[in-house]
Amino acid sequence: MKKSPAPSEVYLEGVFQLRGRDFVDAGLVSSRIKNSLKNKGVPEDTIRKIAVIAFETEINIISYAKEGTISFYLLPDRVVIEAEDSGEGIENIEMALQEGFSTADDSIREMGFGAGMGLPNIRKFSDDFEIVSEPGRGTYLKSSVMLNGNYRAKDDQDDNA
Amino acid sequence: MTTLETIVETLGLKCKCCWEKLKTEVKGGYAGDLLSDVMANSKEHDVWVTRQVHQNIVAVASLKEHAGIIIVQGAQPDSDTLAKAQKEGIPVIVTELSEFEVVGRIYKLLHEQD
Ligand SMILES: Nc1ncnc2c1ncn2[C@@H]1O[C@H](COP(=O)(O)OP(=O)(O)OP(=O)(O)O)[C@@H](O)[C@H]1O
Ligand SMILES: [Mg+2]
């Protein structure tokens, strides 16, 4: 179902498994990604965007899929979030990307989700965004946020020290 | 500087968790019950005013680095919510006051300081 290849494994920072309907740990994956990028010295504005993207991606997998994974990559010029799930899939992506469209049930709405703003916000905060879905099979999403030009990975700095 | 403590004392609110963090500076605020709205539009050091009580609010406040959460209109946080708030160090404050009143009074407090 993937449209474009994922970044090379060299840049892979982490892979997280998610289970559908597990709202108890919702937000944990996003928080790990955020902390890890902070430790790497990634600029704040990039981290802010990634936090929104990762959280909305995570909640959608928990809400609409049986299981899924979120991977994140730190490249020299960008951070990439990649998600794959074996969920119900999305019938009409165009529609799902419109603000206000939601198929969330009451149990999801009671927790404050289901405004139909997750995907539109992921797209808004991404510099590059791609979503592919097959009803009944699952959904693939890739989002990139560019780093500003003067960022250098902490590991690189350490190597040069 | 306006702190959470100033807000709690001036408005007569009740702190349910993380007293030790009440000295945190509040730089602004956001009100809302739709988590994806709050995720996208609130900022660090905001105090978040809401009627939501589910533990997901702690995840949002922590990711967004809010100063704290104020739950209005007499709604009570779930016990899971308080346990998680304790773990994450996110102050949870409750009040019988309406959202309208809380937001209005905090707005005034923040802007009198200018
Ligand atoms: N991973 C997914 N698998 C299947 N369907 C999805 C997935 N992600 C989103 N959708 C569908 O797209 C709709 C819109 O998603 P979006 O995240 O924008 O809003 P929402 O989840 O309904 O509400 P909000 O994100 O504001 O809490 C969802 O209601 C759902 O029907
Ligand atoms: Mg969503």
Side-chain angles (χ1 to χ4, degrees), chain A residues 55-61 63-64 101-102 104 108 113-120 122, chain B residues 36:
Chain A
F55 182 76
E56 296 298 350
T57 303
E58 179 178 2
I59 297 297
N60 280 351
I61 292 176
S63 302
Y64 310 112
F101 177 85
S102 177
I108 293 174
F113 301 114
M117 288 174 71
L119 288 177
I122 294 172
Chain B
S36 50

PDB file of all heavy atoms in Angstrom, chain A residues 55-61 63-64 101-102 104 108 113-120 122, chain B residues 36, ligand 2:
ATOM      1  N   PHE A  55       0.636  12.801  17.571  1.00  0.00           N
ATOM      2  CA  PHE A  55      -0.523  12.564  18.447  1.00  0.00           C
ATOM      3  C   PHE A  55      -1.771  12.240  17.623  1.00  0.00           C
ATOM      4  O   PHE A  55      -2.470  11.270  17.900  1.00  0.00           O
ATOM      5  CB  PHE A  55      -0.782  13.789  19.325  1.00  0.00           C
ATOM      6  CG  PHE A  55      -1.923  13.614  20.287  1.00  0.00           C
ATOM      7  CD1 PHE A  55      -1.768  12.850  21.443  1.00  0.00           C
ATOM      8  CD2 PHE A  55      -3.156  14.203  20.052  1.00  0.00           C
ATOM      9  CE1 PHE A  55      -2.822  12.689  22.347  1.00  0.00           C
ATOM     10  CE2 PHE A  55      -4.212  14.045  20.945  1.00  0.00           C
ATOM     11  CZ  PHE A  55      -4.047  13.289  22.095  1.00  0.00           C
ATOM     12  N   GLU A  56      -2.057  13.023  16.612  1.00  0.00           N
ATOM     13  CA  GLU A  56      -3.260  12.784  15.812  1.00  0.00           C
ATOM     14  C   GLU A  56      -3.169  11.451  15.065  1.00  0.00           C
ATOM     15  O   GLU A  56      -4.172  10.746  14.914  1.00  0.00           O
ATOM     16  CB  GLU A  56      -3.483  13.944  14.830  1.00  0.00           C
ATOM     17  CG  GLU A  56      -3.772  15.285  15.485  1.00  0.00           C
ATOM     18  CD  GLU A  56      -5.048  15.307  16.323  1.00  0.00           C
ATOM     19  OE1 GLU A  56      -5.840  14.346  16.276  1.00  0.00           O
ATOM     20  OE2 GLU A  56      -5.239  16.288  17.062  1.00  0.00           O
ATOM     21  N   THR A  57      -1.971  11.113  14.628  1.00  0.00           N
ATOM     22  CA  THR A  57      -1.769   9.830  13.948  1.00  0.00           C
ATOM     23  C   THR A  57      -1.995   8.679  14.927  1.00  0.00           C
ATOM     24  O   THR A  57      -2.681   7.694  14.616  1.00  0.00           O
ATOM     25  CB  THR A  57      -0.332   9.756  13.377  1.00  0.00           C
ATOM     26  OG1 THR A  57      -0.130  10.858  12.491  1.00  0.00           O
ATOM     27  CG2 THR A  57      -0.100   8.463  12.628  1.00  0.00           C
ATOM     28  N   GLU A  58      -1.435   8.833  16.098  1.00  0.00           N
ATOM     29  CA  GLU A  58      -1.574   7.811  17.134  1.00  0.00           C
ATOM     30  C   GLU A  58      -3.049   7.603  17.516  1.00  0.00           C
ATOM     31  O   GLU A  58      -3.530   6.465  17.579  1.00  0.00           O
ATOM     32  CB  GLU A  58      -0.755   8.260  18.360  1.00  0.00           C
ATOM     33  CG  GLU A  58      -0.825   7.315  19.532  1.00  0.00           C
ATOM     34  CD  GLU A  58       0.061   7.788  20.703  1.00  0.00           C
ATOM     35  OE1 GLU A  58       0.699   8.858  20.609  1.00  0.00           O
ATOM     36  OE2 GLU A  58       0.089   7.065  21.718  1.00  0.00           O
ATOM     37  N   ILE A  59      -3.760   8.708  17.750  1.00  0.00           N
ATOM     38  CA  ILE A  59      -5.168   8.600  18.155  1.00  0.00           C
ATOM     39  C   ILE A  59      -6.001   7.972  17.037  1.00  0.00           C
ATOM     40  O   ILE A  59      -6.899   7.158  17.303  1.00  0.00           O
ATOM     41  CB  ILE A  59      -5.743   9.990  18.532  1.00  0.00           C
ATOM     42  CG1 ILE A  59      -5.004  10.568  19.736  1.00  0.00           C
ATOM     43  CG2 ILE A  59      -7.247   9.896  18.803  1.00  0.00           C
ATOM     44  CD1 ILE A  59      -5.128   9.772  21.023  1.00  0.00           C
ATOM     45  N   ASN A  60      -5.704   8.310  15.796  1.00  0.00           N
ATOM     46  CA  ASN A  60      -6.478   7.711  14.701  1.00  0.00           C
ATOM     47  C   ASN A  60      -6.263   6.200  14.621  1.00  0.00           C
ATOM     48  O   ASN A  60      -7.214   5.453  14.392  1.00  0.00           O
ATOM     49  CB  ASN A  60      -6.126   8.376  13.367  1.00  0.00           C
ATOM     50  CG  ASN A  60      -6.849   9.709  13.196  1.00  0.00           C
ATOM     51  OD1 ASN A  60      -7.726  10.050  13.981  1.00  0.00           O
ATOM     52  ND2 ASN A  60      -6.481  10.449  12.170  1.00  0.00           N
ATOM     53  N   ILE A  61      -5.034   5.760  14.825  1.00  0.00           N
ATOM     54  CA  ILE A  61      -4.792   4.308  14.804  1.00  0.00           C
ATOM     55  C   ILE A  61      -5.547   3.645  15.953  1.00  0.00           C
ATOM     56  O   ILE A  61      -6.241   2.638  15.767  1.00  0.00           O
ATOM     57  CB  ILE A  61      -3.279   3.988  14.879  1.00  0.00           C
ATOM     58  CG1 ILE A  61      -2.588   4.448  13.588  1.00  0.00           C
ATOM     59  CG2 ILE A  61      -3.052   2.490  15.098  1.00  0.00           C
ATOM     60  CD1 ILE A  61      -1.084   4.267  13.585  1.00  0.00           C
ATOM     61  N   SER A  63      -8.175   4.711  17.404  1.00  0.00           N
ATOM     62  CA  SER A  63      -9.622   4.840  17.204  1.00  0.00           C
ATOM     63  C   SER A  63     -10.157   3.950  16.089  1.00  0.00           C
ATOM     64  O   SER A  63     -11.271   3.430  16.198  1.00  0.00           O
ATOM     65  CB  SER A  63      -9.987   6.287  16.851  1.00  0.00           C
ATOM     66  OG  SER A  63      -9.579   7.181  17.849  1.00  0.00           O
ATOM     67  N   TYR A  64      -9.403   3.806  15.010  1.00  0.00           N
ATOM     68  CA  TYR A  64      -9.991   3.211  13.803  1.00  0.00           C
ATOM     69  C   TYR A  64      -9.306   1.950  13.305  1.00  0.00           C
ATOM     70  O   TYR A  64      -9.687   1.423  12.264  1.00  0.00           O
ATOM     71  CB  TYR A  64     -10.015   4.244  12.668  1.00  0.00           C
ATOM     72  CG  TYR A  64     -10.619   5.565  13.077  1.00  0.00           C
ATOM     73  CD1 TYR A  64      -9.844   6.719  13.166  1.00  0.00           C
ATOM     74  CD2 TYR A  64     -11.976   5.652  13.409  1.00  0.00           C
ATOM     75  CE1 TYR A  64     -10.392   7.924  13.561  1.00  0.00           C
ATOM     76  CE2 TYR A  64     -12.526   6.856  13.807  1.00  0.00           C
ATOM     77  CZ  TYR A  64     -11.740   7.986  13.882  1.00  0.00           C
ATOM     78  OH  TYR A  64     -12.273   9.180  14.291  1.00  0.00           O
ATOM     79  N   PHE A 101     -15.261  16.391   9.062  1.00  0.00           N
ATOM     80  CA  PHE A 101     -15.708  15.046   8.702  1.00  0.00           C
ATOM     81  C   PHE A 101     -15.186  14.031   9.714  1.00  0.00           C
ATOM     82  O   PHE A 101     -13.997  13.946   9.982  1.00  0.00           O
ATOM     83  CB  PHE A 101     -15.233  14.646   7.303  1.00  0.00           C
ATOM     84  CG  PHE A 101     -15.628  13.229   6.955  1.00  0.00           C
ATOM     85  CD1 PHE A 101     -16.884  12.959   6.423  1.00  0.00           C
ATOM     86  CD2 PHE A 101     -14.757  12.159   7.211  1.00  0.00           C
ATOM     87  CE1 PHE A 101     -17.257  11.648   6.139  1.00  0.00           C
ATOM     88  CE2 PHE A 101     -15.138  10.853   6.931  1.00  0.00           C
ATOM     89  CZ  PHE A 101     -16.381  10.600   6.389  1.00  0.00           C
ATOM     90  N   SER A 102     -16.106  13.243  10.268  1.00  0.00           N
ATOM     91  CA  SER A 102     -15.709  12.251  11.258  1.00  0.00           C
ATOM     92  C   SER A 102     -16.689  11.090  11.287  1.00  0.00           C
ATOM     93  O   SER A 102     -17.886  11.287  11.132  1.00  0.00           O
ATOM     94  CB  SER A 102     -15.670  12.894  12.649  1.00  0.00           C
ATOM     95  OG  SER A 102     -15.357  11.907  13.620  1.00  0.00           O
ATOM     96  N   ALA A 104     -16.287   9.022  13.957  1.00  0.00           N
ATOM     97  CA  ALA A 104     -16.067   8.587  15.352  1.00  0.00           C
ATOM     98  C   ALA A 104     -17.395   8.262  16.036  1.00  0.00           C
ATOM     99  O   ALA A 104     -18.383   8.970  15.848  1.00  0.00           O
ATOM    100  CB  ALA A 104     -15.342   9.687  16.126  1.00  0.00           C
ATOM    101  N   ILE A 108     -15.865   7.416  21.441  1.00  0.00           N
ATOM    102  CA  ILE A 108     -14.691   8.224  21.081  1.00  0.00           C
ATOM    103  C   ILE A 108     -14.980   9.708  21.328  1.00  0.00           C
ATOM    104  O   ILE A 108     -14.152  10.439  21.857  1.00  0.00           O
ATOM    105  CB  ILE A 108     -14.300   7.966  19.605  1.00  0.00           C
ATOM    106  CG1 ILE A 108     -13.794   6.526  19.453  1.00  0.00           C
ATOM    107  CG2 ILE A 108     -13.254   8.970  19.128  1.00  0.00           C
ATOM    108  CD1 ILE A 108     -13.513   6.112  18.033  1.00  0.00           C
ATOM    109  N   PHE A 113     -12.596  13.375  21.364  1.00  0.00           N
ATOM    110  CA  PHE A 113     -12.136  13.215  19.981  1.00  0.00           C
ATOM    111  C   PHE A 113     -13.351  13.247  19.053  1.00  0.00           C
ATOM    112  O   PHE A 113     -14.483  13.310  19.501  1.00  0.00           O
ATOM    113  CB  PHE A 113     -11.394  11.887  19.820  1.00  0.00           C
ATOM    114  CG  PHE A 113     -10.201  11.762  20.720  1.00  0.00           C
ATOM    115  CD1 PHE A 113     -10.164  10.822  21.735  1.00  0.00           C
ATOM    116  CD2 PHE A 113      -9.109  12.600  20.555  1.00  0.00           C
ATOM    117  CE1 PHE A 113      -9.065  10.718  22.584  1.00  0.00           C
ATOM    118  CE2 PHE A 113      -8.000  12.500  21.391  1.00  0.00           C
ATOM    119  CZ  PHE A 113      -7.988  11.555  22.405  1.00  0.00           C
ATOM    120  N   GLY A 114     -13.063  13.214  17.742  1.00  0.00           N
ATOM    121  CA  GLY A 114     -14.153  13.136  16.778  1.00  0.00           C
ATOM    122  C   GLY A 114     -14.612  14.475  16.226  1.00  0.00           C
ATOM    123  O   GLY A 114     -15.726  14.616  15.750  1.00  0.00           O
ATOM    124  N   ALA A 115     -13.732  15.471  16.296  1.00  0.00           N
ATOM    125  CA  ALA A 115     -14.076  16.773  15.723  1.00  0.00           C
ATOM    126  C   ALA A 115     -13.818  16.805  14.221  1.00  0.00           C
ATOM    127  O   ALA A 115     -14.187  17.753  13.537  1.00  0.00           O
ATOM    128  CB  ALA A 115     -13.267  17.875  16.401  1.00  0.00           C
ATOM    129  N   GLY A 116     -13.148  15.786  13.732  1.00  0.00           N
ATOM    130  CA  GLY A 116     -12.808  15.783  12.314  1.00  0.00           C
ATOM    131  C   GLY A 116     -11.702  16.772  12.002  1.00  0.00           C
ATOM    132  O   GLY A 116     -11.638  17.337  10.914  1.00  0.00           O
ATOM    133  N   MET A 117     -10.821  16.972  12.951  1.00  0.00           N
ATOM    134  CA  MET A 117      -9.735  17.939  12.757  1.00  0.00           C
ATOM    135  C   MET A 117      -8.356  17.298  12.732  1.00  0.00           C
ATOM    136  O   MET A 117      -7.369  17.966  12.428  1.00  0.00           O
ATOM    137  CB  MET A 117      -9.768  18.979  13.885  1.00  0.00           C
ATOM    138  CG  MET A 117     -10.930  19.941  13.776  1.00  0.00           C
ATOM    139  SD  MET A 117     -11.015  21.033  15.210  1.00  0.00           S
ATOM    140  CE  MET A 117      -9.583  22.059  14.892  1.00  0.00           C
ATOM    141  N   GLY A 118      -8.275  16.012  13.059  1.00  0.00           N
ATOM    142  CA  GLY A 118      -6.973  15.355  13.156  1.00  0.00           C
ATOM    143  C   GLY A 118      -6.215  15.360  11.839  1.00  0.00           C
ATOM    144  O   GLY A 118      -5.102  15.899  11.748  1.00  0.00           O
ATOM    145  N   LEU A 119      -6.798  14.763  10.815  1.00  0.00           N
ATOM    146  CA  LEU A 119      -6.112  14.696   9.512  1.00  0.00           C
ATOM    147  C   LEU A 119      -5.872  16.089   8.919  1.00  0.00           C
ATOM    148  O   LEU A 119      -4.756  16.365   8.448  1.00  0.00           O
ATOM    149  CB  LEU A 119      -6.890  13.807   8.531  1.00  0.00           C
ATOM    150  CG  LEU A 119      -6.864  12.292   8.798  1.00  0.00           C
ATOM    151  CD1 LEU A 119      -7.749  11.553   7.790  1.00  0.00           C
ATOM    152  CD2 LEU A 119      -5.440  11.750   8.746  1.00  0.00           C
ATOM    153  N   PRO A 120      -6.871  16.994   8.936  1.00  0.00           N
ATOM    154  CA  PRO A 120      -6.585  18.343   8.421  1.00  0.00           C
ATOM    155  C   PRO A 120      -5.409  18.998   9.145  1.00  0.00           C
ATOM    156  O   PRO A 120      -4.592  19.672   8.522  1.00  0.00           O
ATOM    157  CB  PRO A 120      -7.889  19.109   8.689  1.00  0.00           C
ATOM    158  CG  PRO A 120      -8.945  18.067   8.743  1.00  0.00           C
ATOM    159  CD  PRO A 120      -8.288  16.828   9.288  1.00  0.00           C
ATOM    160  N   ILE A 122      -2.883  17.408  10.673  1.00  0.00           N
ATOM    161  CA  ILE A 122      -1.646  16.723  10.274  1.00  0.00           C
ATOM    162  C   ILE A 122      -1.153  17.335   8.964  1.00  0.00           C
ATOM    163  O   ILE A 122       0.018  17.668   8.806  1.00  0.00           O
ATOM    164  CB  ILE A 122      -1.871  15.201  10.100  1.00  0.00           C
ATOM    165  CG1 ILE A 122      -2.201  14.552  11.451  1.00  0.00           C
ATOM    166  CG2 ILE A 122      -0.640  14.541   9.463  1.00  0.00           C
ATOM    167  CD1 ILE A 122      -2.635  13.098  11.358  1.00  0.00           C
TER     168      ILE A 122
ATOM    169  N   SER B  36      -8.434  17.726  19.476  1.00  0.00           N
ATOM    170  CA  SER B  36      -7.606  18.054  18.308  1.00  0.00           C
ATOM    171  C   SER B  36      -7.547  19.562  18.068  1.00  0.00           C
ATOM    172  O   SER B  36      -6.577  20.065  17.512  1.00  0.00           O
ATOM    173  CB  SER B  36      -8.051  17.300  17.051  1.00  0.00           C
ATOM    174  OG  SER B  36      -9.420  17.420  16.842  1.00  0.00           O
TER     175      SER B  36
HETATM  176 MG    MG C   2      -8.553  11.902  14.487  1.00  0.00          MG
END
